Amino acid sequence: MRTMKIMISVCLCLLLFAGCSANTDKTHENDAAYRLQDNSQYFIDTPMGEYYMNPLDERGMIYFSEHGKHEFYVLCNKPDCTHSDQNCNAYAGLALGYYNHHLYAVYLDDNSDHFTLAQMNMDGSEHKRICLLPEQHAPNGTITGGGSFAFHNGFLLYELGSDDENGLPTAYFKIALESGKTERLFENEVKDSILFGSDLKSLDNYVYFCTKSAKDNIYHLMQGNLETGEAAELIDNFSDCYLTNVDEDTLYYFHFGVGFCEFDIKSKTETVKLKTDYYVAQVTYTDDYIFAKTNMSEDFEEDWYFCVYDRDYNLFNQTNLGSNITAPQFLYVTDDVIYFSQIGNRVTHYMKLKTIEKDLTLVPMTDPYAAR
């Protein structure tokens, strides 16, 4: 009987500090409908409607809403389905992606005890196993599986968690969604890495991620080339920072206790664009705005505020969201609304983008299952 150490990236930092670009990748036709922005993973904006799956939801279900309806249903039409396990059409488990008119999911298969990449139709039907995800095997029989996931240009980018007790470093893989072809990346550059749970950011042929070794216990921000499989260090000490956005030549991140920063990739120069009194900020960038859920206190004893800036870091508007217990979670940004949750990990409220500079009212959404 094998022993398996399962690692799943659902840590609190996904909710507090995650963020990515709201720009849609126009270069790749098959990805044109896939919004590359998410806060608490995973949100997909397609011509068919909006899909999301929150990995902090223990059921791992996909929810769907028609555009403009703001009313999310479990993506399953099976009669008498409990919507609670992988037999449900809406089951995604740990990660949800989109490519070439199909949805893709990553889950721990109940039958084989393997992490699995699966494909399904846009209505959740016809689940098809593409491949089993790589694992790491220690001499004592321990098997490490699971980690962090990102979907980019027809590939699953997979950060397999380290097992420092057994000398297994963090490992990175690129897996073709349609064929399951798997390639290991950055092996030499991360051979001493013990980091687990990095939030992967990708743009064009590059992925950005953090490493940390037991030798120095310092975070290093890396730029990995998805074509060559090699990586280079961009920032030597990235501790107390969280990468929020990437464009052609610039990285955007919030430095805890300092403020909003930009890093020029070509010159390797950091600029603090806006010093703030916030200790933490959960930030998302769009073409026109910067949205930030902020707190003055390291241990979140102060109230949370939701702030709206323009791209030059001028404050347009802000509102008090309340204490750490009552403040809604800042989840997803679409073309017309910002989604929040005030109950667990389900989307429950939204703000209208067209009035965001003057009105930050949270609009409650209809719960289609309230009467059941």
Side-chain angles (χ1 to χ4, degrees):
M1 180 179 297
R2 69 180 193 163
T3 301
M4 185 173 188
K5 179 180 284 189
I6 299 173
M7 295 182 170
I8 302 173
S9 178
V10 293
C11 57
L12 181 62
C13 67
L14 283 177
L15 274 180
L16 294 182
F17 310 126
C20 193
S21 171
N23 297 327
T24 305
D25 188 351
K26 301 296 185 182
T27 304
H28 305 277
E29 182 178 354
N30 287 327
D31 275 353
Y34 181 24
R35 177 177 295 277
L36 299 177
Q37 175 274 136
D38 53 53
N39 267 316
S40 52
Q41 301 181 329
Y42 296 88
F43 188 90
I44 300 170
D45 196 353
T46 77
M48 285 68 73
E50 298 170 349
Y51 300 76
Y52 81 88
M53 189 283 297
N54 191 323
L56 295 181
D57 180 356
E58 62 181 13
R59 296 196 306 165
M61 293 291 115
I62 306 169
Y63 292 86
F64 172 81
S65 175
E66 295 182 32
H67 284 297
K69 292 291 185 67
H70 310 308
E71 187 173 296
F72 284 92
Y73 291 84
V74 174
L75 187 69
C76 180
N77 59 3
K78 285 185 177 181
D80 302 320
C81 183
T82 62
H83 308 313
S84 60
D85 56 36
Q86 68 183 50
N87 295 314
C88 175
N89 277 1
Y91 185 73
L94 303 173
L96 176 67
Y98 166 85
Y99 183 69
N100 200 15
H101 310 299
H102 284 95
L103 298 175
Y104 288 86
V106 175
Y107 55 81
L108 183 63
D109 184 76
D110 290 340
N111 300 316
S112 66
D113 202 29
H114 279 280
F115 287 92
T116 302
L117 171 65
Q119 180 194 79
M120 66 189 80
N121 292 330
M122 299 300 290
D123 63 357
S125 63
E126 298 186 24
H127 284 224
K128 172 187 175 183
R129 188 175 78 180
I130 299 298
C131 67
L132 301 180
L133 299 191
E135 300 172 335
Q136 296 203 82
H137 296 249
N140 65 359
T142 298
I143 300 174
T144 300
S148 296
F149 312 96
F151 294 89
H152 180 62
N153 291 350
F155 293 93
L156 171 67
L157 305 180
Y158 174 35
E159 180 194 66
L160 173 55
S162 60
D163 182 357
D164 53 311
E165 293 179 3
N166 293 292
L168 300 177
T170 309
Y172 294 85
F173 298 90
K174 180 177 73 172
I175 304 172
L177 293 176
E178 295 181 328
S179 69
K181 180 181 178 182
T182 300
E183 177 184 353
R184 186 163 181 173
L185 307 171
F186 326 133
E187 189 167 1
N188 291 329
E189 295 88 341
V190 300
K191 60 184 178 182
D192 298 320
S193 174
I194 61 170
L195 181 66
F196 167 68
S198 177
D199 189 24
L200 307 173
K201 300 290 189 294
S202 52
L203 180 71
D204 298 331
N205 292 323
Y206 295 96
V207 60
Y208 300 85
F209 60 98
C210 284
T211 64
K212 184 178 71 171
S213 71
K215 297 178 181 178
D216 57 20
N217 203 34
I218 294 175
Y219 289 90
H220 306 271
L221 184 65
M222 308 291 289
Q223 182 189 57
N225 189 311
L226 295 173
E227 290 189 339
T228 66
E230 299 175 344
E233 183 181 272
L234 286 181
I235 302 179
D236 178 52
N237 188 345
F238 204 63
S239 301
D240 297 324
C241 298
Y242 205 89
L243 184 64
T244 57
N245 187 36
V246 181
D247 66 20
E248 296 297 330
D249 301 308
T250 308
L251 306 179
Y252 304 81
Y253 50 93
F254 188 84
H255 191 151
F256 305 156
V258 177
F260 297 86
C261 299
E262 296 184 7
F263 182 85
D264 184 271
I265 296 174
K266 292 182 178 180
S267 66
K268 292 192 175 182
T269 302
E270 177 188 86
T271 304
V272 180
K273 302 296 290 188
L274 179 64
K275 293 183 178 180
T276 71
D277 294 327
Y278 315 135
Y279 184 81
V280 295
Q282 175 196 358
V283 185
T284 287
Y285 287 72
T286 72
D287 289 340
D288 301 314
Y289 297 106
I290 303 168
F291 302 118
K293 181 182 175 183
T294 65
N295 200 293
M296 300 286 191
S297 172
E298 181 179 359
D299 51 11
F300 316 136
E301 290 184 350
E302 302 291 332
D303 283 356
W304 288 91
Y305 278 79
F306 186 75
C307 305
V308 180
Y309 296 87
D310 65 18
R311 288 301 300 264
D312 293 319
Y313 299 95
N314 298 306
L315 182 64
F316 273 136
N317 203 353
Q318 65 179 357
T319 187
N320 189 328
L321 296 177
S323 70
N324 195 46
I325 297 176
T326 61
Q329 299 172 14
F330 169 32
L331 295 178
Y332 314 112
V333 180
T334 75
D335 289 333
D336 61 343
V337 300
I338 304 173
Y339 285 118
F340 292 80
S341 174
Q342 285 191 319
I343 303 174
N345 303 301
R346 291 271 307 276
V347 170
T348 59
H349 292 72
Y350 64 87
M351 288 180 183
K352 297 178 181 179
L353 278 182
K354 65 180 181 181
T355 60
I356 203 76
E357 296 180 18
K358 297 181 179 179
D359 184 5
L360 296 178
T361 301
L362 280 172
V363 180
M365 295 165 52
T366 301
D367 182 357
Y369 300 100
R372 300 186 181 185

